[in-house]
Each structure stands twice: as C-alpha cells, then as structure tokens.
Amino acid sequence: MAFRNIVKGTLFLGGGAVATVFGLSHLTDSKRKTRINFVEAAESVRPSNQIELPSREAQLLTLENTKEFDVLVIGGGATGCGCALDAVTRGLKTALVERDDFSSGTSSRSTKLIHGGVRYLQKAIMNFDIEQYKLVQEALHERANLLEIAPHLSAPLPIMLPVYKWWQLPYYWVGIKAYDLVAGSQCLKSSYVLSKSKALELFPMLQKDKLVGAIVYYDGQHNDARMNLAIALTAARYGAATANYTEVVRLLKRTDPVSGRERVCGARCRDVLTGQEFDVRAKCVINATGPFTDSVRKMDNQQVSNICQPSAGVHIVMPGYYSPDNMGLLDPATSDGRVIFFLPWEKMTIAGTTDTPTEVTHHPIPTEDDINFILTEVRNYLSTDVEVRRGDVLAAWSGIRPLVTNPNSADTQSISRNHVVDVAESGLVTIAGGKWTTYRSMAEDTLDAAIKAHSLKAGPCKTVGLFLEGGKDWAPTLYIRLVQDYGMESEVAQHLAATYGDKAFEVAKLAKVTGKRWPIVGKRLVSEFPYIEAEVKYALKEYACTAVDVISRRTRLAFLNVQAAEEALPRIVDIMAKEFHWKEQRKKEELESAKRFLYYEMGYKARSEQLTDRSEINLSPADVDRYKKRFHKFDKDKKGFITILDVQRVLENINVQMDAINLHEILNEVDLNKNGQVELNEFLQLMSAIQKGFVSSSRLAMLMKSAEENLDQREPIPVDRSGGGV
C-alpha cells in the first residue's frame, strides 16, 4: 500500500522571521510564485452558463448513463465536495455521491471557525515541531483564501483571551504575535493588548475578579453548512454530476490485464429516496467520507486496519445576550485541559467544544454530561451577575471529528495532526483527517495523488481564488438593494445577502406579498428569525429533499433554536408537499422524521429530561401557595387542571387575542402526560424547574404571570416567545 502523510509547507509574505527559526525560509519565493500561478489559473476557469442548476433527477440520470467518469468522489462533506470542485475545474469528468445530504455530518457541526490553530503554533514553538508549524501555515493560507472566495458566508472575528495572572500576559502576547507573524501579509488584523477596564468595556459579561487584562486576536468565522453547500453547488455549476441521498452499496472492481490485480473501477449506488440501484463507473474512486472512512476502505479490503479514531465534539447555543455582538472568547485551559470557544454566531452565542472518544454513528447525540461541562466552563469566565442557566440552552449538537492514525507507522496509536492521503493497492484513494479550514488544500493533495496513481490527464489545481456560489458579485451593501427593490425588512435582506450572496435576488423573486404595508414581501417562517417562506422553495433548487435538510442546512434554524424549528416545521412541510406533490402520509412521515431529528440530534431530548412527570418539586411553602393562587386564577372551576378554554377566557378578560394553535403549542410545552391539559402538579414542576434554572422562557409561565398582574387592566400583554430553552 502506498501511503503518504501530506503536509503542505506554504509560507507567506512577512512570515520569514518565524520560517527562518525552522530553517524553511528557502521555500518562500517558490510557494509565492505558485500561489500567483494558481490565482491566474483560477481566473481562466469559467463555470457553465446555465442559469439554473440541473435538478437532482437530471444529475442521477447523468450518473447512471455516463459510460465512465474520470473521478467518482464518495462523500458530500466539505472535503468530498472540495475534491469534486478541484477535479472538475482541472478538466476531469467528475461525479460525487453522498448517502445523506450535503454537509449532513461533521461539516455542519463545527465550531464555525476558520482558523489556523493558535494551540498548534504554541506546540510547534514549545516542541520545535516543524510539522505543527507547517500545519498552522497551511491553515492560515487557507483561512485567507476562504474569506476571499466566500465573503458573504465568512468574516473576520475578534477573539478575546482574558488573562488572570500577570505572568501570563507577556507569555500569551508572544504566542499571539507569533500567530500574526506566521500569517504574514495574510494576517486579518493585528492582535492587541487590552487593560482590564477596556476588556470589560468590550466584553461586559466577563468575570471581573482577578482579571489583569486581555489579548485580542483575529480569526475567521463562517456558516459551515452553507459553506459546504456552496462548494457542492459550485462543483455542480462547473459540470460535476453531484447527487445527495445516493448511497454506495459496494465498490465495483475489474482485473488489471497487466498486473492481474483487482482494481476499483466505480461503485454500485442506490437512490435512498426511491431504492433504485445503478452503477457509476470511474477511472478513479476517492473515499472522502470523514468518520466513515474505514467502512468504505473495508468495502475494498476487509483486512485493512482502521485509520480513523472518531472523537465527539459537543456544542451548545445560548441567547445572544451571553456575548457581545462582535467579540468571541477563548478559554485556553479548561478544568480538564481542553479549549472552549464562546462565540457570537447568527445573533446567538455558540459555546464548545468537548473532545471525547466515541463510536461512529450517523446520528450522534449530545449528552447531558457534555452540555453541563460546557456550561460549567462558561460560568468560570462570566461575571457572577450573569446567571448561566441550563434552561438557556436553545440547541445542542454533537459532531464526530475523524482523527486519523498512520497504519504504516510503528506506533499505530499515534494520532496524526494532519490529513493523510492513502492510495490502496486496488487504486482506491482515501483522504482522511485534517480540519474544516484546510478542506481545499486537502482536496488539492488528494487530486494530485489520484492523478499520479491513475495517470489521469489533468491540469494544475485551480481552486485558489476561485469564487464559490454567491460570492463573486456580493457586496456589503447588497442587502440595501433587496430592501429598496423588493420591499423587504432590513433584517431579512441582510440575512438573505449573508446566506445566498449574489443569489439572494433569486430568493427574493420567490417571496410572496405579505398583504401588509411593510414589509411588502417576505413572510417569515417564525417571528423571531429572519428566515422566510421563499427560502423553502429555493432550498429545493439547492437539492434539499427533506424537511430536515431545510431546517438544519439550507436554513440553520435547528442549530439556533429547536423550539422555533419545531414551530416552523408544519409550514415548511406544507410548502415542500406542494412543490414535490407529497400525499398526506408522506407529509406525516416528514414531520415525524424532522421531530425525531430535533429530539435526538439537536438537544430536544436533553431539554425534555429537564422537565418530566418525575421531576421533583423543590419549592418553599410560600412559593407553593403563591403559584397555587396563580393557577387557580385560570382554574376557576377548581378542576385541578387548565385547558385552552381556561386560558382563552382569562386572555379575553384582559383584551389579549391569541389563536387556538398558538395556545395549544404553549400548553403542549408543559403538558407532560400529553392529555391536552396542564394539571396543578405539572405547573408546580414547571415553576420549580424555572427557579433552579433548568427551564427558561416558558411561554405559559410568562403568560400566567402577566395575566395575574394585569387581570384588572385592559391593556394588551405581549406574550411572544422569547426563545425557549432546551
């Protein structure tokens, strides 16, 4: 087996000082020239002139009827889609299949950072580790490229490193400045030191005690699932035959007439949605399946040793008020030695990640232990004025990071910090490991290895500087045109511009008139998020096939607030049913499937465990009496439970209008035994859970409190859901 551990050694302008330390400065000029050549090459590539992307059905026909592709990529994550884009822009006839949706695995469940790796640079300097140094260089180069080619989906983000001991200030400052130096001319913005008062001014939620100052450095942030999708759509735009929900059943093989050995020559595929099977033949097959790397390798050869060491990383999402709008936080040394990021994202706050060994599964589930670990670390860095509540967790997810080992090294337990390209005796090319930021260079190395191993006729890599879908004509002021030309809310227009780039106008054209004075078009799916109904229709053009595709990867609603996602589901399914001509049974199946996804994979299960019919009631006698009085204001007939009719009667008394559907949803959040009514014991369990911080922003609790305070008044009471915790 030919095995290569690939590490790019790209150096940058301004990084010579650090490069000289490692004796690598002689590579700078040649790499600089190579990058210029790559940019010129990228400019020479032109996508297909088709206005619309080919439908999924058309892509499947291409896969089935093409006699032979040059390259077949298995896996629709960032690396797989990157391989497809690299191959097709080199002039190779390219196919890609993915058993689920594009970015349905690890690539949509990241920390949302595009970064070089401050930790890796620290290890490189402390251990004089050239491999680590090269890894940081490569990632910083790729960070700059990704920010350039997808400006609508990515942006620089300042990240604060708070310092609580005086000796750490110069220590961290040197390390962060080295990070700037390695980036050279591609440094986003220069890092800087803050005094205690200035740090608290920029991050007022920070723990004040013993704080001596802070250091701020810059990395990139992106919308990971949309970025992955942009890579896939760009590959399709350039002519690659790409299909999601297309599973590889087995690899096809032929006997080489010269060597007599079996060679992989394609794959038997199955359309997951219809069950239809067909063969896709290719000169070269690339395995880019992330955590599932070994399962595909064993399709080729059952005897190969595993190279993937899966590790679970859990993240949680909390309300936006937990962090400033444009400043992240890095905890460089948690209680168990891990690193925690605390970042603003999509007007919410994301915190993570954990790093624990796990089994490979298609449906990873965030555990309560991991969620509480993150909350504990967050509490250590936030002011005691900020009560970090378990109930404020709006969503939680687990992603499986595919760490890899070198199967040919003496120490097979040694986990590689880089990506590896493995060319098997059968010709199967495997790309594994690496990180989100370096997907493009990983794809380049993979295609270089594939071209060499299979003697493919192809040009040089052309993906440096190659704009991704929606990026070329995007501008920071693009959203203003959406507001002016279509009469959209500013928040919705900004969201569309930041999500679809220059394709935002295509989404706007699908938007329906609201019937209001303002906004003129753009009906929201849920009131507190800028996602609109037109995005569901447009998602189908982007190969969305299920409701889960829409709530998790075309929009990011499931990752931001699972309750809001569940609330939007019926309307999303209705729109999809009309476009796909689904019958009632299929609609029901879609709803159930999406709710299972939210329940198990996005943290709803963890939420439900905070309030069950077995939850303890820890309330003082005075609190019990107070809450009973509040309950009985609704339960006038002393039935021992309240129904929708009881709530409607009280709301009418205080002139509040609310439709039955919303009332049903509000009661259903607390109705533990699902009998259509909230009993006194359930209400007391709810109030106890709220007091302990396990549940927050309960609509029923807020509504009943407001009603109690305003029963004698005749003013409307706002009862919009403020977020809802999981």
Side-chain angles (χ1 to χ4, degrees):
M1 179 185 294
F3 182 90
R4 301 192 301 144
N5 192 355
I6 305 292
V7 184
K8 297 283 285 182
T10 312
L11 300 181
F12 315 108
L13 291 168
V18 181
T20 303
V21 173
F22 290 93
L24 298 168
S25 58
H26 64 284
L27 296 176
T28 305
D29 291 337
S30 62
K31 280 294 180 183
R32 194 180 305 151
K33 290 175 182 176
T34 303
R35 185 179 188 280
I36 292 170
N37 290 337
F38 280 0
V39 173
E40 291 173 350
E43 290 175 349
S44 70
V45 182
R46 291 290 180 267
S48 166
N49 290 324
Q50 18 183 15
I51 297 174
E52 288 198 4
L53 290 162
S55 66
R56 179 176 178 272
E57 290 70 24
Q59 296 282 40
L60 287 170
L61 284 173
T62 301
L63 287 170
E64 187 175 355
N65 297 324
T66 299
K67 184 177 180 181
E68 185 180 50
F69 289 94
D70 293 317
V71 173
L72 167 62
V73 181
I74 305 172
T79 304
C81 292
C83 287
L85 180 58
D86 189 293
V88 75
T89 53
R90 293 194 196 212
L92 295 171
K93 190 181 293 185
T94 305
L96 179 145
V97 293
E98 159 60 44
R99 73 173 300 278
D100 204 299
D101 186 27
F102 302 116
S103 197
S104 58
T106 308
S107 296
S108 63
R109 306 175 190 226
S110 73
T111 313
K112 324 303 179 193
L113 285 178
I114 311 170
H115 61 127
V118 174
R119 287 180 299 154
Y120 297 137
L121 183 61
Q122 179 192 27
K123 292 177 182 177
I125 295 173
M126 299 296 289
N127 302 329
F128 203 74
D129 189 331
I130 295 177
E131 183 180 332
Q132 287 276 11
Y133 175 73
K134 289 178 180 178
L135 178 65
V136 175
Q137 277 195 312
E138 175 187 42
L140 288 172
H141 167 61
E142 295 302 324
R143 179 187 72 178
N145 182 66
L146 199 49
L147 289 166
E148 178 185 343
I149 64 177
H152 58 304
L153 292 170
S154 59
L157 176 72
I159 299 175
M160 181 181 292
L161 198 164
V163 179
Y164 289 90
K165 296 178 181 177
W166 281 107
W167 68 265
Q168 290 178 333
L169 203 57
Y171 174 76
Y172 286 136
W173 181 83
V174 169
I176 295 297
K177 278 301 173 186
Y179 194 59
D180 290 349
L181 282 172
V182 175
S185 65
Q186 295 174 323
C187 178
L188 301 179
K189 290 184 181 180
S190 183
S191 58
Y192 54 91
V193 177
L194 292 173
S195 65
K196 176 179 179 178
S197 60
K198 191 64 178 177
L200 292 173
E201 181 182 331
L202 293 177
F203 208 117
M205 309 83 174
L206 205 58
Q207 173 64 262
K208 305 176 182 67
D209 295 343
K210 298 182 180 179
L211 181 71
V212 298
I215 300 170
V216 175
Y217 73 98
Y218 286 80
D219 254 326
Q221 188 178 51
H222 69 152
N223 185 335
D224 53 2
R226 291 295 314 184
M227 186 73 80
N228 191 158
L229 184 63
I231 301 166
L233 296 177
T234 307
R237 190 81 68 180
Y238 276 92
T242 61
N244 55 352
Y245 293 100
T246 305
E247 180 181 19
V248 170
V249 178
R250 66 177 184 273
L251 298 177
L252 302 178
K253 293 189 176 183
R254 62 174 174 80
T255 302
D256 189 309
V258 178
S259 66
R261 292 178 177 175
E262 282 195 328
R263 303 282 290 177
V264 172
C265 62
R268 179 72 173 176
C269 296
R270 183 176 71 90
D271 182 345
V272 174
L273 302 181
T274 66
Q276 181 183 352
E277 293 191 6
F278 54 90
D279 290 340
V280 179
R281 297 194 175 273
K283 296 172 184 174
C284 171
V285 176
I286 295 174
N287 171 18
T289 53
F292 303 95
T293 293
D294 289 321
S295 62
V296 176
R297 293 175 72 241
K298 289 182 185 295
M299 283 186 186
D300 174 39
N301 179 2
Q302 283 288 337
Q303 307 306 314
V304 295
S305 57
N306 289 346
I307 64 172
C308 184
Q309 301 289 322
S311 173
V314 171
H315 294 81
I316 63 174
V317 166
M318 305 178 77
Y321 55 72
Y322 272 94
S323 65
D325 291 339
N326 194 37
M327 179 68 74
L329 185 74
L330 167 64
D331 177 358
T334 62
S335 56
D336 66 352
R338 292 181 281 193
V339 169
I340 289 284
F341 284 99
F342 194 62
L343 311 166
W345 182 68
E346 298 287 322
K347 298 187 178 180
M348 294 295 182
T349 301
I350 183 172
T353 178
T354 59
D355 185 8
T356 52
T358 187
E359 296 295 320
V360 176
T361 172
H362 290 288
H363 306 289
I365 299 172
T367 68
E368 189 62 26
D369 286 345
D370 284 327
I371 292 171
N372 284 322
F373 166 78
I374 296 172
L375 288 173
T376 299
E377 296 303 326
V378 168
R379 288 187 187 100
N380 292 339
Y381 269 84
L382 294 189
S383 169
T384 52
D385 296 336
V386 180
E387 183 184 357
V388 180
R389 303 179 298 181
R390 173 62 182 84
D392 283 336
V393 178
L394 305 176
W397 67 86
S398 176
I400 301 177
R401 185 184 178 196
L403 304 174
V404 291
T405 57
N406 183 340
N408 294 329
S409 71
D411 179 12
T412 56
Q413 297 303 308
S414 176
I415 293 178
S416 173
R417 293 175 290 264
N418 314 298
H419 61 273
V420 296
V421 176
D422 174 24
V423 182
E425 290 182 0
S426 66
L428 177 68
V429 179
T430 294
I431 170 66
K435 54 194 289 188
W436 221 121
T437 306
T438 58
Y439 85 90
R440 192 213 61 83
S441 61
M442 291 165 64
E444 179 184 347
D445 292 336
T446 305
L447 264 296
D448 286 346
I451 289 166
K452 181 179 179 181
H454 293 271
S455 302
L456 301 176
K457 295 180 180 179
C461 177
K462 299 176 181 178
T463 52
V464 171
L466 187 70
F467 279 107
L468 298 182
E469 178 91 348
K472 187 175 182 182
D473 295 321
W474 175 85
T477 55
L478 184 146
Y479 80 95
I480 297 175
R481 289 175 54 197
L482 291 170
V483 175
Q484 294 176 337
D485 295 353
Y486 292 92
M488 285 186 160
E489 293 175 86
S490 181
E491 184 186 11
V492 170
Q494 288 175 332
H495 153 68
L496 293 182
T499 302
Y500 304 94
D502 58 29
K503 304 296 181 186
F505 297 100
E506 295 182 20
V507 183
K509 289 174 185 176
L510 298 174
K512 287 186 176 181
V513 175
T514 63
K516 301 177 182 178
R517 183 182 63 80
W518 189 264
I520 298 171
V521 301
K523 291 184 178 180
R524 294 193 182 209
L525 289 168
V526 284
S527 60
E528 68 268 43
F529 288 93
Y531 300 112
I532 60 174
E533 293 182 356
E535 292 181 78
V536 181
K537 286 188 177 182
Y538 193 75
L540 310 190
K541 298 176 183 289
E542 297 180 322
Y543 305 124
C545 299
T546 70
V548 172
D549 298 343
V550 175
I551 61 173
S552 59
R553 293 173 288 274
R554 302 311 182 277
T555 72
R556 306 311 308 276
L557 200 48
F559 281 79
L560 296 171
N561 189 316
V562 292
Q563 284 185 268
E566 185 183 42
E567 184 180 313
L569 271 176
R571 183 59 188 143
I572 289 171
V573 170
D574 282 344
I575 295 170
M576 296 183 75
K578 186 175 181 180
E579 298 296 317
F580 282 146
H581 308 293
W582 287 343
K583 294 182 179 180
E584 285 301 316
Q585 181 60 30
R586 176 62 193 275
K587 289 174 63 176
K588 183 180 178 182
E589 290 170 358
E590 279 297 318
L591 275 171
E592 289 175 353
S593 175
K595 287 180 178 180
R596 280 197 304 272
F597 169 79
L598 292 173
Y599 184 77
Y600 289 106
E601 297 184 51
M602 298 310 301
Y604 229 147
K605 181 177 186 292
R607 172 198 179 274
S608 67
E609 290 170 350
Q610 303 305 307
L611 182 64
T612 70
D613 53 11
R614 295 180 300 277
S615 297
E616 292 183 8
I617 300 174
N618 287 324
L619 295 171
S620 68
D623 283 337
V624 170
D625 185 58
R626 178 160 56 95
Y627 293 137
K628 279 184 176 180
K629 287 180 180 178
R630 182 176 301 170
F631 184 85
H632 288 137
K633 286 186 181 294
F634 285 76
D635 181 22
K636 285 287 188 183
D637 301 326
K638 308 295 183 184
K639 305 182 298 296
F641 61 85
I642 57 176
T643 65
I644 289 178
L645 294 176
D646 294 320
V647 178
Q648 281 179 328
R649 176 180 49 76
V650 173
L651 293 181
E652 286 173 3
N653 287 339
I654 56 176
N655 292 335
V656 171
Q657 300 297 320
M658 185 175 293
D659 61 57
I661 294 176
N662 281 332
L663 278 177
H664 176 75
E665 289 176 353
I666 290 173
L667 262 68
N668 194 50
E669 292 172 5
V670 186
D671 180 13
L672 302 178
N673 54 18
K674 305 303 177 188
N675 61 357
Q677 57 197 33
V678 175
E679 295 158 8
L680 175 60
N681 202 56
E682 290 174 326
F683 180 66
L684 294 177
Q685 286 172 325
L686 169 67
M687 302 314 296
S688 179
I690 289 174
Q691 277 198 8
K692 290 185 285 187
F694 295 157
V695 173
S696 66
S697 301
S698 165
R699 288 188 282 177
L700 180 65
M702 295 170 69
L703 184 149
M704 292 179 72
K705 180 182 178 183
S706 298
E708 182 184 45
E709 294 171 349
N710 291 276
L711 274 172
D712 296 329
Q713 299 178 13
R714 292 295 180 265
E715 295 178 2
I717 302 168
V719 290
D720 289 345
R721 174 163 54 76
S722 63
V726 302

